[in-house]
Amino acid sequence: MSGNKDSDGGWRTFLWNSEKREFLGRTGCSWFKIISFYVIFYICLAGIFVGTIQALLLTLSNYKPTYQDRVAPPGLSHTPRSEKSEIAFTKSDEGSYKKYTDSMKTFLRQYDDDRQTDQMKFEDCGDSPRPYTDRGPLEADTTQKKVCRFRRSLLGSCSGVDDPHFGFNEGKPCIIVKLNRIVFFRPKAPSSNESLPEPLQAKAQPNLIPIYCKNKRDEDEGKIGEIKYFGMGEGFPLQYYPYYGKLLQPQYLQPLVAIQFTNLTLDQELRVECKAFGENIAYSEKDRYQGRFDIKFTIKS
């Protein structure tokens, strides 16, 4: 019992020693010094952190990303998108392809004519491919800039205006293709026809980034059939570039190309590869969407 009392007295003394006027083994002066030290220490750490962030922010632009590490310029993508880049449906069953047509309708809604009527935001940039539309240096003028109109009617039978099924009900599916947006990027048209596939050489235009699709596998040759291209010049016209970013061009509409596969062999898996051709458009085996993409079709009757 006496041992417990001694032990209890030791703890009480440690908590508060009335003789030395110590709390938890320290005097008031000692506590003041150590608390002051840690307060100053953490204030300095916070100051270093805030200063580092502020210094980093000074190197960033509000109008152009300093680093672009997602896809090397430019990426080529398509609508509708699907898991594993596969489009599979039964042409006689609307429910099997409704998800594809719904996504295309949603995507193309921003290209409706009635959304491009504001003269202060939109302008006509011609009906044929033209050179770049220069709207000044990127950060010289921070007011919003106009954008070029792109009408859905340019996409022909793949516009969804006359055919809400986009050809899926006939086994002739359409896809919508675009170059991904990159702030102030200027795609360059091919420098010579020799770099283009033979079917494109006769159609090459100086202010156009052409696109071409073909069978990806040798065994699919002859099973793809005719491929139709719709859009301004059947490619990406240069007057829609450069893109000035969301702050300066919130209404920007990138040019589109619609591709319709009119005679795909039914009940077989077919792989198609599409490429955009330009002097500064490269391809990578590590990135399937850098300047190109491939897609698998499986259409059942």
Side-chain angles (χ1 to χ4, degrees):
M1 296 295 292
S2 59
N4 291 338
K5 291 181 179 179
D6 292 342
S7 177
D8 293 344
W11 277 108
R12 291 193 187 99
T13 302
F14 175 72
L15 289 174
W16 172 247
N17 190 325
S18 59
E19 294 179 0
K20 298 181 179 180
R21 302 187 65 82
E22 292 179 347
F23 176 69
L24 295 178
R26 291 183 180 274
T27 63
C29 181
S30 177
W31 276 113
F32 174 78
K33 290 179 180 179
I34 195 169
I35 291 174
S36 299
F37 168 79
Y38 279 108
V39 168
I40 295 172
F41 175 72
Y42 284 113
I43 288 176
C44 290
L45 281 182
I48 293 172
F49 176 77
V50 172
T52 302
I53 295 298
Q54 291 297 323
L56 177 62
L57 291 177
L58 292 175
T59 67
L60 302 179
S61 169
N62 291 328
Y63 303 97
K64 182 178 181 180
T66 304
Y67 303 104
Q68 302 184 50
D69 56 359
R70 289 187 178 181
V71 179
L76 189 69
S77 58
H78 62 86
T79 300
R81 296 289 296 273
S82 60
E83 293 182 4
K84 301 180 181 180
S85 294
E86 180 179 2
I87 294 180
F89 64 95
T90 301
K91 68 176 186 176
S92 59
D93 179 10
E94 182 177 353
S96 67
Y97 58 77
K98 188 176 185 299
K99 60 182 178 181
Y100 302 131
T101 57
D102 285 349
S103 68
M104 296 176 74
K105 290 175 184 176
T106 300
F107 174 73
L108 289 174
R109 196 169 294 139
Q110 61 187 315
Y111 288 86
D112 288 341
D113 289 351
D114 58 6
R115 296 195 176 198
Q116 305 179 48
T117 57
D118 192 336
Q119 299 293 334
M120 301 299 295
K121 298 177 180 179
F122 296 91
E123 64 179 348
D124 290 323
C125 297
D127 297 325
S128 59
R130 295 183 179 181
Y132 306 112
T133 302
D134 190 356
R135 304 182 192 276
L138 186 61
E139 299 186 48
D141 182 6
T142 56
T143 58
Q144 289 190 7
K145 303 178 184 296
K146 288 186 176 183
V147 300
C148 294
R149 292 185 176 91
F150 190 93
R151 305 189 185 281
R152 288 181 65 169
S153 57
L154 291 169
L155 302 180
S157 58
C158 291
S159 66
V161 175
D162 298 322
D163 178 13
H165 300 294
F166 297 93
F168 280 79
N169 60 326
E170 297 179 354
K172 302 177 180 180
C174 294
I175 61 173
I176 309 297
V177 183
K178 60 184 176 66
L179 284 174
N180 292 346
R181 299 179 182 183
I182 300 176
V183 177
F184 224 60
F185 175 69
R186 297 172 184 256
K188 297 180 180 179
S191 55
S192 66
N193 289 2
E194 297 177 359
S195 62
L196 300 175
E198 186 176 348
L200 285 181
Q201 293 180 5
K203 300 192 256 185
Q205 300 183 51
N207 296 308
L208 187 74
I209 304 296
I211 185 171
Y212 181 70
C213 301
K214 66 173 185 177
N215 54 291
K216 183 175 177 64
R217 304 179 303 188
D218 292 338
E219 58 265 33
D220 291 337
E221 186 175 4
K223 300 178 182 179
I224 304 300
E226 181 185 10
I227 301 175
K228 293 183 179 181
Y229 303 85
F230 303 96
M232 189 182 296
E234 299 181 6
F236 305 107
L238 299 187
Q239 66 257 44
Y240 288 84
Y241 303 95
Y243 166 52
Y244 282 77
K246 289 184 178 180
L247 288 179
L248 299 182
Q249 288 185 316
Q251 295 83 22
Y252 177 76
L253 298 173
Q254 57 213 106
L256 306 175
V257 176
I259 302 174
Q260 186 172 27
F261 301 90
T262 63
N263 194 21
L264 293 172
T265 301
L266 301 180
D267 302 314
Q268 293 192 35
E269 291 185 355
L270 305 174
R271 285 199 171 272
V272 178
E273 182 180 59
C274 298
K275 286 185 177 182
F277 293 87
E279 188 176 341
N280 56 348
I281 296 177
Y283 317 104
S284 171
E285 293 298 329
K286 297 181 180 179
D287 192 332
R288 61 188 301 178
Y289 288 103
Q290 184 178 337
R292 66 177 177 183
F293 65 82
D294 63 87
I295 187 170
K296 181 171 71 173
F297 286 99
T298 305
I299 304 176
K300 298 180 180 180
S301 55

